Amino acid sequence: MVAVATVAIIRIVSVAQQSDPNIGLTTSLALVSVVLLGGFATEKTMLAAGAAVVIASLLAAREMLQGFSRSILTAAELRDGLILGVSILVILPILPSLEIGPGGALNPRNLFIIVVVIMLIGAAGHIATRVIGARLGLPISGFLSGFVSSTSTIVALGQRATEKPEDARSAAAGATLSSVSSLIQIGIILLALSPAMFTMGLPLLFGAAGAAALHGAAIFFLALRRKVEPAVLELPSQVFSIKAAAGFALIVAVVMLTSATLNDVFGNTAVLATVALAGLVSTNSATVALASLVAAGQISAVDGALPLAAALSANTIARLLIAWRGKNVTFRRIVAFGLVLQLAALWLSWWLAALLRSWFADWSAIISQ
């Protein structure tokens, strides 16, 4: 530490005495890094060598990285990227793994991991939309934006259809396909938190996503036949919202604690009501809460299928009402019809899955006799 402090002080004095405006922070940080790597090499030689190669590569690519950050990335995107990096590399490692609430339903570390995963998925959707969405038009932009928020995508595309009625069909296709990406995101969350819940929820997700995909694809190809000039959905400058992420974590924590407490008193009916109400606000938060309860052993995966269907239905109805408020008649009819199809496919899939489980249970009982 004495060596680092000495080098830092000498560097500060040296920079202060020079008037060259091109002197930047990069050279100073590189000088301090060399001192740190020298000390680190006495304990971990290979690791220090690898870190030195990485630092040297970054310094060699400095001009390219500066051009990328200044001309391609917006200030908001750069800031959000730094926030994401701090969340993963600084905050996550120091969070304690504690079990809080009835049956250890809430774990701060696991909850923050899911928040980070949601931010990563949102960032990936934002980047994909910027890279390929502009070339493939509103339907693909809508699909990719669904990873950020299907509800926000429907609102934005509804406004687009109102402002440019000739884009109404393409906008409706994008709004419908945003449901597909949203359901894919839910599947990723279930798989990460509770593979058993993912297995039970897969028929529901597949049925609803399949209906949305078929309907959206049909509208997409009809829009292509009209030879409308390609357009792109204008995304917010932010990659993700810190306020929304904090609100998401708060909703998940409240739903998990409330569901676990009420489950101990009233049974699975309370979980059904709580998760369904959470679905009105955010399907992701309801999904995380439900999968966490299953992983903690509060409820079984089989019993979690109905609350999952209820949460998906509540959110679909909320988006249906939002779509119906659109001023463009073509847009709202197409999107509303697609959401109704999703609801029908969702509950048909739930009924068929329950029926198959019942048949398998009966056959297993007969065979065991």
Side-chain angles (χ1 to χ4, degrees):
M1 294 302 296
V2 175
V4 173
T6 302
V7 171
I9 292 172
I10 294 174
R11 180 60 180 170
I12 291 172
V13 173
S14 175
V15 172
Q17 292 177 347
Q18 300 181 40
S19 58
D20 187 357
N22 294 323
I23 296 178
L25 186 61
T26 306
T27 304
S28 301
L29 291 176
L31 183 60
V32 174
S33 299
V34 170
V35 179
L36 289 174
L37 288 173
F40 190 49
T42 60
E43 298 290 337
K44 302 286 185 180
T45 305
M46 294 304 297
L47 187 58
V53 171
V54 171
I55 292 174
S57 301
L58 291 175
L59 289 173
R62 180 175 60 180
E63 292 184 2
M64 182 184 69
L65 293 174
Q66 285 178 344
F68 177 78
S69 63
R70 292 174 180 176
S71 61
I72 298 178
L73 290 179
T74 64
E77 289 171 339
L78 184 59
R79 181 201 62 208
D80 289 345
L82 293 173
I83 291 173
L84 184 58
V86 170
S87 300
I88 297 173
L89 300 175
V90 179
I91 299 177
L92 184 58
I94 65 175
L95 277 179
S97 181
L98 301 175
E99 294 184 349
I100 303 173
L106 183 62
N107 186 307
R109 181 179 176 82
N110 293 341
L111 178 60
F112 192 76
I113 289 174
I114 296 303
V115 172
V116 169
V117 170
I118 294 297
M119 289 194 294
L120 284 172
I121 293 174
H126 183 93
I127 293 170
T129 302
R130 282 198 59 184
V131 172
I132 66 174
R135 292 178 297 168
L136 300 180
L138 289 177
I140 302 303
S141 295
F143 171 77
L144 295 172
S145 301
F147 286 107
V148 181
S149 172
S150 177
T151 302
S152 299
T153 302
I154 290 175
V155 172
L157 288 172
Q159 293 174 349
R160 177 58 178 259
T162 301
E163 295 170 358
K164 295 186 176 182
E166 66 273 14
D167 290 339
R169 290 184 180 273
S170 295
T176 302
L177 292 174
S178 71
S179 298
V180 180
S181 51
S182 179
L183 291 167
I184 292 173
Q185 182 173 250
I186 291 171
I188 294 172
I189 294 172
L190 288 176
L191 183 60
L193 280 180
S194 174
M197 189 64 241
F198 171 76
T199 303
M200 289 296 105
L202 185 59
L204 311 182
L205 299 176
F206 185 79
L214 290 174
H215 181 252
I219 303 303
F220 183 18
F221 288 116
L222 286 175
L224 288 178
R225 292 180 60 184
R226 294 170 60 102
K227 297 181 179 181
V228 178
E229 184 178 352
V232 64
L233 172 64
E234 294 182 3
L235 283 177
S237 58
Q238 285 185 307
V239 178
F240 50 79
S241 170
I242 300 300
K243 182 179 179 181
F248 171 81
L250 179 61
I251 292 172
V252 171
V254 171
V255 172
M256 289 174 63
L257 290 175
T258 304
S259 298
T261 302
L262 296 178
N263 182 57
D264 289 343
V265 180
F266 300 106
N268 293 339
T269 304
V271 176
L272 172 64
T274 307
V275 172
L277 288 175
L280 288 172
V281 180
S282 169
T283 310
N284 288 340
S285 62
T287 302
V288 170
L290 181 60
S292 299
L293 290 173
V294 173
Q298 291 289 314
I299 62 174
S300 67
V302 174
D303 292 333
L306 182 58
L308 177 62
L312 293 174
S313 299
N315 190 262
T316 303
I317 292 172
R319 286 183 288 135
L320 176 61
L321 295 176
I322 291 173
W324 197 253
R325 291 177 59 188
K327 296 180 180 180
N328 186 280
V329 177
T330 301
F331 175 84
R332 71 185 186 190
R333 285 180 178 176
I334 292 175
V335 176
F337 180 70
L339 291 171
V340 171
L341 278 181
Q342 289 178 52
L343 276 176
L346 170 69
W347 285 103
L348 178 61
S349 301
W350 175 83
W351 178 75
L352 288 175
L355 185 62
L356 288 174
R357 285 197 300 270
S358 177
W359 282 352
F360 282 131
D362 292 341
W363 276 106
S364 298
I366 293 173
I367 293 173
S368 62
Q369 294 176 357

